[in-house]
Amino acid sequence: MIDPGSVLTTDLVGLATTRHAYVLFVLLSTIGLYMLIANENLVKKVIGVNMFQTGIFLFFITSAYRVGGSAPIIEGAGPYVSPLPQVIVLTAIVVGISLTAVGLALSIRLYNEYGTLRADALREVIGDE
Amino acid sequence: MSDVLLALLVTVPLVAAIFPLLFGLRYENAGWPIALAGSLVVTGLAGTLAWEIFTASTETGQRLVHEMAGYPAPYGIELVGDGLSALIALLISVVSVAVLIYSRSTGPGSNAFYSGFLLLMGGLLGMTLTGDLFNLFVFLEIVGLITYALVASDDSGMAAYGALKYLFLGTVGASLYLIGVGYLLVRTGSLNMLDLQARLADIGYTEPLVQAAFGFILIGLMLKIAVFPLHTWQPDAYTYAPDTVSAYISALVSTTAAYALIRISFDVFTVDFFAANQLITDAVVLVASISIVVGSLLAAMQTEIKRVFAYSSVAQFGMIVVAIGLNSRTALLGAVIHLVGHGLMKATLFMGAGILSSAYGATTISDYAGLAKRSPITSGGIAVTGLALVGIPPSIGILGKWYIALGAVESGSWSVAIIIFISTLLTLTYVARIIETLYFNPPEATHEETAASESVEHVAVGDEAVADGGLETRVATERIVVVAVLAVSTVALFASVDLFTELLDPVFGRFFQ
Amino acid sequence: MIEPTIRPLAAVAVSFVAAAFILASGRRPNLREAWTVLASVSMFGIVASMVPGVLAGEVYVTNLGTVLPGVDFVLRADPLGVLFASLASLLWIVTSFYSIGYMRGLDEHNQTRYFASFAVSVASAVGIAFAGNLLTIFVFYEVLSVATYPLVAHDETPEARAAGRKYLAYTFFGGGVLVLAGTVLVYWLTSLAPGAESATVDFTPGGISALANADPTAASVAFIVLALGFGVKAGLMPFHQWLPSAMVAPTPVSGLLHAVAVVKSGVFGIARVVLDVFGPETLADLGPASFGDLGIALPVAIIASITLTVASIIALRKDHLKRRLAYSTISQLSYIVLGLALLEGDALIGGLLHIPAHAFMKLTLFLCAGIIHVETHTDNISEMAGIGRRMPLTMTAFGIAAAGMAGIPLVAGFVSKWYIVIGALDGGNAVFAGVLLVSGVLNIAYFWPIVYQAFFETPDDHDTKPLLEGPFGGRDAIRADGSGRTDDHGTVDIDASVDPDANHEGGVHHAHDDTDEHHDDHHGHHGGPPAGGWPKRNWRGGESTWFMLGPILTAAALSLLLGIIPHTIVFMRIVETIVGNLPGVVV
């Protein structure tokens, strides 16, 4: 568990060494979000969404981790890492894949229709404000 | 027994979704009857649920619980049916039936569409009934995925564009929601709503992590609800989707997201959270107030009819979110009434617009000139529903507005009260334009039939007459009937306060202890 | 004594049902008109049947169930309600016949919509009259706005649509915003009252008791918001602009709705708020001490005084007859509001009695304007010199009503104004009495020339009208047709817009249009006397059809009767009952 407030008070070095997984989560998500907003290529936007979600999955997995914990299977010896986030992430990955599939399918349809994958070009064609 | 009802409500449409595709292999038109049968069953179930809660006298009777697969909460996932969720479930099932009847002749008629339709209904009901935050995310994404697909089911490129835009923003919204849920999980180790409520109360509401969790959930759901400035996906999606789909998603998808926000705000975070975090409360009220004003202004500026209605939703949901932020029992009652009322009204308006666009190709306001003479029933339905949306009594529109305004006055939020009162005029700016065009603008001469029918009229009696039925026969009768029935129901529900208070009192009793 | 009965509901419902029948029989004009007449007569019958009981102290109540906790949807025929309802239903009969003559005479389009909207409008006016609480009155107030919109925009010309938009914006600002806000405030205030079981917005003679002890600031705000909300329909300045614009409507609409039902529903709303929501005693206690005896009603009295003076002055400058009447209406309505705001027994009687008095007189005037329009297509006063030759009966009725407006004895206006002036003097508010007298002079100034020139001048030899012609402040030199200074539309040709005939060339004209008065309608010139001066018509109805003359003479006769024998024709007795029921008001 995180001690609330400690994230802000801990010095950056401490943050990078002990909480690097959370830093990575923030970085990945932000990069993904930036890609979604700033990149005009539809496929890259889809990749951005994926990256954004992957960052979040990482956050969940990290939160389940405990030092010396083993996989949460009944036969093994304890202590176990928390099983709940693992389940959540498994489900979320499935959802994410479906989203990617739908997103790519729509991109293909747009490409067939307008011959471009660029969002700015599409906006111009469609006349979206 | 009754707890099985909850499980059935979610599983019946999900399982039924298989059949249109399955039977579609053999029979070409299997989709519609299956979907209709499915939604009729669901309507029956939702009605039973509402009736049981309505007549129950004990506390356990008013809050039915089903533990999925027999795992007890907080470890297992539970489905919860109380007055609030029963009301939304009823709305979902009734609108589903109405939209299905409407879609019989107009489609999109493929079996895959009806599978999607049933899946969407199942997802919406799941969102409504679940008592688990992560389960809510899953249903949120099911709803999202199907909606993207249905929006794109019109084969145009524009529809695909609208759907993709919706997909990007919708996914971001759901993911933000997931982050918020993650924070709560990390802090408390629980995902069950009521369990979380107890744990959060122990932890206190001023911890940054808890505040951040609410912030992420709020923004994520606001994206789904389409509150200004997070609404940009919504007009495109509503406009480019097929008429049937626009009617369905405009009535239910944002509505269910708003329901989820109400549920999480008051069942997980509770009123104490709002009281402890005045800044967050103020921010919610401010953003939502802006949404009311800007949404209405944007709606008034549109020329395409579906866009007008889409931006109108931005404004109306602003009103609902304001009521959440007011943190008052009265205002929340208004929010729920308006949630249901807005769902019915928007479904009617989009279906009416669908009829006029398929009969006359009228998609912009100026195309509507003089159509009242040719489609008197549909135009009447649009006019009545539009006025109900403005908040003209007697209609359900004024009820919601009354309670939200009263709540604002009670809690001393004068600026909000003024905005809500002024919203009559704001809504009028776009509704009056449509009604005036329908009834008082001379039809454009470019339509050949128009000219013909006009001249016939003048020779005939010197005033209207002729039109009834005449040209409208090209539209299947049941579509007109659906619009008329829904329009009448928005008026009739003026007398429904007892139903709402009776169902919601126990729930609000918990919310506002 | 409170008696549960369906009679109040029946009075409202009969005309709603009639509207449905009218719509259904749109293809058979005679049957359609029969419904209108039948509904108006039976509505009046139902209302009249309650008058004796009400005078004897009965209150007839129909309760339709609860809408909000503590608030029922209830129709309640008390003296005040019966006053307005009997007036509206009586004049609906008069106007129905006139409408038939007018609409057929002009071969108007869309008559079915017209008659149906008319029926719904009257139904909601009676609903307003019988509403038992603020919420019910709000519902009917809004329905009335919706139902009259098609009547205002009836012509479907750009100007008519613009007027319709303006009308909607103003009335919904008054109703949906202000009245709703005021109702919510009252509901909230009464729910806070100590010992109150639930909130209430029910009308109670003398005021809701919970409001007397409520927070004074909030109660004052609630009163002002409600008074202004109803004031929009009552034409209080600065919310009066919709009324002159709405004159593009067909004349029967202007007559019934803009002299009787719509504007009076606004005034009636104020009466309810003053008498039955807050009560004169509570109002006198509210407001800062510097407001004196009138308390929070003082601002309303001041607004009313300003309105009645300024509107009279504007009326002087209008050449278009209906517009002059519109401003006269605005002015006269403020008499009523002023009478109510003075919070004194005699003034209240005067104010309430002016509701029927003004209705009879103004209806006469509007119907005269309408008949002149139908018969001669003349709308501007400057073209009416000598018209007494052509329309002797009409102009006589016009003269009687105009005299009443100015407060000449033996006509209805005198009685009501007398009481208001007495009330103002009794209450020690001589200023307001002075305002009333000045306005009386102005009334003569804008009505007398019309009557005088009709009988004693000829088209070739007459004074220029209107009396005041130069713009205020000496600017704004461009004037189209004498229709006014800043008249929103600059040079818009008003005649064209109120003259639907221009768009209906093929129309079958009425049998009486046998002269050459139509020959030049479509060449820019509208109305005015034909080349050789007005032809002379006899005094036996040769000037028009009895469909229109009958209603005019009826309305004029009613104004005379109310002036000569106010008690015998019941209205005065109803008014005295209303004021007598108020606790703490001395007559």
Side-chain angles (χ1 to χ4, degrees):
Chain A
M1 304 259 172
I2 313 167
D3 176 19
S6 69
V7 179
L8 296 176
T9 49
T10 319
D11 60 313
L12 285 175
V13 179
L15 190 70
T17 48
T18 62
R19 311 255 186 251
H20 49 269
Y22 292 112
V23 175
L24 197 58
F25 144 60
V26 173
L27 273 179
L28 271 179
S29 307
T30 322
I31 292 172
L33 203 54
Y34 179 76
M35 215 165 145
L36 170 65
I37 296 166
N39 204 300
E40 294 290 355
N41 189 307
L42 290 180
V43 176
K44 288 185 181 166
K45 274 179 190 285
V46 175
I47 297 174
V49 171
N50 256 309
M51 219 159 138
F52 179 56
Q53 290 192 308
T54 310
I56 299 170
F57 301 158
L58 190 64
F59 162 72
F60 271 87
I61 293 294
T62 313
S63 73
Y65 176 76
R66 61 179 290 179
V67 180
S70 57
I73 304 166
I74 300 295
E75 281 83 30
Y80 308 114
V81 296
S82 170
L84 192 54
Q86 326 260 348
V87 179
I88 289 177
V89 169
L90 267 179
T91 319
I93 286 174
V94 176
V95 172
I97 287 174
S98 329
L99 280 168
T100 313
V102 174
L104 289 176
L106 289 173
S107 306
I108 292 170
R109 233 177 78 183
L110 281 171
Y111 186 77
N112 287 340
E113 188 97 8
Y114 299 106
T116 178
L117 277 176
R118 289 188 62 83
D120 47 358
L122 283 172
R123 270 198 293 276
E124 212 163 287
V125 177
I126 294 173
D128 179 23
E129 64 271 16
Chain B
M1 270 312 287
S2 51
D3 51 358
V4 179
L5 205 61
L6 299 171
L8 283 178
L9 264 173
V10 182
T11 45
V12 163
L14 290 181
V15 173
I18 304 168
F19 295 118
L21 286 177
L22 200 63
F23 288 104
L25 297 174
R26 182 80 189 268
Y27 309 99
E28 205 181 322
N29 293 322
W32 188 77
I34 294 172
L36 185 66
S39 25
L40 283 175
V41 169
V42 169
T43 311
L45 292 171
T48 318
L49 176 68
W51 180 249
E52 278 188 18
I53 295 168
F54 190 75
T55 51
S57 51
T58 59
E59 212 165 292
T60 45
Q62 287 161 342
R63 185 173 185 279
L64 306 171
V65 175
H66 174 78
E67 286 157 352
M68 299 251 267
Y71 292 107
Y75 310 107
I77 295 170
E78 54 175 17
L79 296 178
V80 179
D82 57 11
L84 180 55
S85 47
L87 208 53
I88 304 294
L90 206 55
L91 172 74
I92 292 172
S93 53
V94 168
V95 172
S96 299
V97 172
V99 170
L100 270 176
I101 294 173
Y102 178 87
S103 76
R104 191 185 66 91
S105 60
T106 169
S110 69
N111 290 317
F113 168 78
Y114 291 110
S115 279
F117 186 93
L118 284 166
L119 272 179
L120 181 52
M121 180 163 49
L124 291 167
L125 286 165
M127 276 178 75
T128 311
L129 294 172
T130 186
D132 182 282
L133 284 187
F134 183 72
N135 197 231
L136 179 60
F137 167 77
V138 174
F139 281 122
L140 198 64
E141 285 292 47
I142 291 180
V143 168
L145 272 167
I146 308 295
T147 315
Y148 315 143
L150 289 186
V151 168
S153 65
D154 190 3
D155 282 332
S156 73
M158 312 244 259
Y161 175 79
L164 194 58
K165 196 167 167 185
Y166 187 8
L167 181 140
F168 288 140
L169 289 166
T171 309
V172 170
S175 303
L176 291 175
Y177 168 83
L178 187 61
I179 294 179
V181 172
Y183 281 9
L184 287 179
L185 176 65
V186 166
R187 187 67 186 87
T188 66
S190 179
L191 288 171
N192 180 282
M193 289 184 188
L194 274 196
D195 190 41
L196 266 170
Q197 182 188 0
R199 295 188 190 211
L200 284 177
D202 289 341
I203 295 168
Y205 295 110
T206 46
E207 240 182 51
L209 197 62
V210 177
Q211 291 169 334
F214 183 77
F216 276 115
I217 290 178
L218 178 72
I219 294 176
L221 287 178
M222 274 187 171
L223 248 168
K224 288 278 187 184
I225 300 172
V227 175
F228 181 87
L230 307 172
H231 67 283
T232 48
W233 59 269
Q234 187 247 36
D236 280 336
Y238 287 10
T239 310
Y240 298 138
D243 296 331
T244 318
V245 176
S246 313
Y248 197 60
I249 60 176
S250 68
L252 297 180
V253 172
S254 292
T255 306
T256 324
Y259 158 81
L261 184 58
I262 292 177
R263 177 63 77 187
I264 293 173
S265 299
F266 291 95
D267 235 355
V268 176
F269 287 90
T270 73
V271 283
D272 297 329
F273 175 83
F274 287 109
N277 296 286
Q278 199 54 45
L279 193 66
I280 294 181
T281 318
D282 290 347
V284 171
V285 170
L286 182 69
V287 169
S289 307
I290 294 174
S291 194
I292 298 177
V293 177
V294 176
S296 304
L297 293 180
L298 284 171
M301 284 159 56
Q302 302 306 313
T303 51
E304 258 177 280
I305 211 87
K306 282 168 91 177
R307 263 180 207 278
V308 175
F309 293 152
Y311 280 109
S312 147
S313 285
V314 174
Q316 302 299 324
F317 275 106
M319 202 131 105
I320 290 163
V321 175
V322 152
I324 298 175
L326 284 175
N327 199 17
S328 117
R329 184 174 177 152
T330 319
L332 193 61
L333 175 61
V336 175
I337 295 176
H338 201 56
L339 205 55
V340 173
H342 173 265
L344 286 175
M345 295 188 280
K346 267 301 145 57
T348 318
L349 288 173
F350 271 106
M351 284 197 247
I355 291 177
L356 294 184
S357 93
S358 58
Y360 313 110
T363 55
T364 63
I365 293 188
S366 49
D367 289 345
Y368 273 22
L371 285 188
K373 284 186 181 139
R374 307 165 69 192
S375 285
I377 302 173
T378 310
S379 311
I382 292 179
V384 167
T385 317
L387 291 172
L389 193 67
V390 176
I392 309 295
S395 69
I396 192 170
I398 185 64
L399 280 186
K401 192 181 208 171
W402 168 276
Y403 277 111
I404 297 175
L406 183 62
V409 169
E410 276 177 358
S411 52
S413 314
W414 296 105
S415 51
V416 176
I418 289 171
I419 287 185
I420 289 167
F421 289 128
I422 295 289
S423 75
T424 302
L425 285 187
L426 293 173
T427 315
L428 191 68
T429 49
Y430 52 87
V431 172
R433 223 170 110 216
I434 295 172
I435 295 179
E436 183 190 311
T437 317
L438 271 174
Y439 283 90
F440 296 102
N441 280 23
E444 281 167 32
T446 45
H447 296 265
E448 283 173 31
E449 299 153 330
T450 314
S453 82
E454 278 298 294
S455 57
V456 168
E457 265 179 45
H458 272 281
V459 176
V461 250
D463 59 53
E464 77 247 48
V466 207
D468 290 68
L471 283 160
E472 213 163 41
T473 45
R474 277 196 291 166
V475 180
T477 324
E478 75 265 7
R479 297 174 70 187
I480 299 167
V481 171
V482 165
V483 169
V485 168
L486 282 182
V488 169
S489 75
T490 58
V491 173
L493 282 171
F494 181 59
S496 67
V497 161
D498 277 348
L499 172 75
F500 283 102
T501 46
E502 198 68 26
L503 277 173
L504 293 174
D505 257 352
V507 185
F508 287 3
R510 277 195 302 112
F511 287 176
F512 299 91
Q513 275 156 350
Chain C
M1 269 188 297
I2 289 172
E3 189 180 317
T5 160
I6 61 156
R7 275 195 265 176
L9 177 66
V12 178
V14 71
S15 144
F16 273 120
V17 173
F21 280 111
I22 290 169
L23 282 177
S25 49
R27 282 168 224 203
R28 299 168 64 192
N30 288 335
L31 179 64
R32 182 184 65 199
E33 263 75 296
W35 290 124
T36 300
V37 173
L38 188 67
S40 58
V41 171
S42 43
M43 184 194 240
F44 179 67
I46 297 169
V47 175
S49 78
M50 289 187 280
V51 170
V54 165
L55 284 176
E58 297 261 15
V59 174
Y60 299 95
V61 175
T62 315
N63 194 330
L64 294 175
T66 307
V67 179
L68 301 169
V71 182
D72 289 351
F73 196 82
V74 58
L75 294 169
R76 190 165 158 278
D78 59 358
L80 186 54
V82 163
L83 174 73
F84 184 40
S86 54
L87 179 71
S89 53
L90 174 63
L91 293 183
W92 188 28
I93 303 179
V94 175
T95 323
S96 293
F97 285 105
Y98 186 86
S99 281
I100 297 168
Y102 183 91
M103 298 304 273
R104 292 190 177 183
L106 288 175
D107 194 31
E108 281 276 357
H109 64 124
N110 253 333
Q111 292 191 19
T112 306
R113 181 179 77 198
Y114 169 88
F115 281 107
S117 307
F118 217 114
V120 175
S121 306
V122 178
S124 21
V126 174
I128 288 171
F130 286 155
N133 55 43
L134 273 176
L135 187 84
T136 315
I137 208 174
F138 168 64
V139 170
F140 284 112
Y141 196 71
E142 294 289 81
V143 173
L144 180 64
S145 305
V146 174
T148 42
Y149 166 69
L151 297 174
V152 174
H154 179 85
D155 276 351
E156 303 189 359
T157 57
E159 200 202 350
R161 291 204 302 273
R165 272 198 295 274
K166 200 170 187 177
Y167 176 66
L168 274 188
Y170 273 81
T171 52
F172 282 134
F173 175 68
V177 178
L178 294 179
V179 174
L180 177 65
T183 310
V184 167
L185 284 174
V186 170
Y187 186 85
W188 172 61
L189 284 172
T190 53
S191 73
L192 293 180
E197 278 176 28
S198 71
T200 177
V201 290
D202 286 346
F203 295 139
T204 323
I208 301 171
S209 57
L211 282 175
N213 307 315
D215 172 43
T217 317
S220 304
V221 170
F223 172 71
I224 292 294
V225 166
L226 278 174
L228 290 184
F230 286 114
V232 170
K233 275 215 179 81
L236 280 188
M237 286 185 177
F239 303 124
H240 68 287
Q241 268 296 324
W242 63 271
L243 222 167
S245 318
M247 288 302 137
V248 300
T251 306
V253 174
S254 314
L256 183 67
L257 301 180
H258 299 138
V260 186
V262 172
V263 293
K264 289 292 156 53
S265 73
V267 172
F268 180 81
I270 295 180
R272 279 287 191 205
V273 170
V274 170
L275 304 178
D276 293 349
V277 175
F278 288 87
E281 286 179 313
T282 308
L283 287 179
D285 291 339
L286 288 174
S290 56
F291 280 10
D293 287 350
L294 295 186
I296 195 65
L298 182 69
V300 176
I302 292 174
I303 293 175
S305 311
I306 294 173
T307 306
L308 69 86
T309 315
V310 173
S312 299
I313 294 172
I314 298 177
L316 275 179
R317 310 169 49 77
K318 294 290 170 193
D319 188 38
H320 190 269
L321 180 56
K322 277 176 78 182
R323 277 175 193 265
R324 184 174 287 193
L325 292 179
Y327 277 99
S328 159
T329 303
I330 295 171
S331 156
Q332 298 288 329
L333 291 169
S334 283
Y335 277 73
I336 307 175
V337 177
L338 180 58
L340 293 167
L342 288 175
L343 304 180
E344 200 276 342
D346 286 325
L348 291 175
I349 290 185
L352 292 173
L353 189 65
H354 204 53
I355 293 179
H358 171 252
F360 294 146
M361 300 183 296
K362 191 46 69 60
L363 187 66
T364 313
L365 295 175
F366 267 117
L367 298 188
C368 290
I371 202 171
I372 294 171
H373 174 74
V374 172
E375 291 299 326
T376 72
H377 292 262
T378 306
D379 292 314
N380 289 339
I381 296 160
S382 50
E383 293 167 345
M384 287 181 190
I387 202 167
R389 265 170 73 82
R390 168 74 177 78
M391 321 201 71
L393 281 174
T394 306
M395 291 319 291
T396 307
F398 192 97
I400 292 171
M405 283 288 172
I408 310 265
L410 293 186
V411 192
F414 169 72
V415 186
S416 47
K417 290 189 183 186
W418 171 264
Y419 273 100
I420 302 179
V421 172
I422 294 292
L425 291 174
D426 269 3
N429 296 297
V431 178
F432 293 116
V435 169
L436 288 168
L437 295 176
V438 169
S439 163
V441 175
L442 288 170
N443 270 315
I444 295 176
Y446 64 74
F447 276 130
W448 175 245
I450 305 176
V451 181
Y452 174 78
Q453 70 163 7
F455 289 109
F456 303 112
E457 289 182 353
T458 62
D460 308 322
D461 174 25
H462 63 90
D463 305 326
T464 43
K465 312 281 179 320
L467 281 180
L468 291 182
E469 205 160 12
F472 290 126
R475 278 176 290 122
D476 244 9
I478 303 162
R479 288 165 47 79
D481 50 9
S483 65
R485 31 159 201 143
T486 51
D487 229 342
D488 344 299
H489 305 296
T491 56
V492 167
D493 183 354
I494 289 157
D495 303 281
S497 55
V498 276
D499 181 4
D501 199 54
N503 305 325
H504 291 262
E505 280 187 66
V508 183
H509 285 299
H510 201 272
H512 286 93
D513 297 336
D514 49 0
T515 54
D516 53 353
E517 286 143 21
H518 285 298
H519 68 283
D520 53 6
D521 268 2
H522 307 294
H523 305 287
H525 172 73
H526 297 273
W534 296 107
K536 187 165 173 59
R537 290 292 164 88
N538 62 27
W539 285 76
R540 298 182 306 277
E543 60 201 72
S544 180
T545 150
W546 281 103
F547 255 130
M548 290 194 274
L549 277 177
I552 290 177
L553 295 180
T554 313
L558 283 168
S559 346
L560 274 177
L561 287 176
L562 192 62
I564 300 168
I565 41 169
H567 284 88
T568 316
I569 64 165
V570 149
F571 285 105
M572 188 68 181
R573 273 155 65 200
I574 301 179
V575 168
E576 283 177 353
T577 315
I578 299 167
V579 179
N581 284 347
L582 295 170
V585 172
V586 186
V587 182

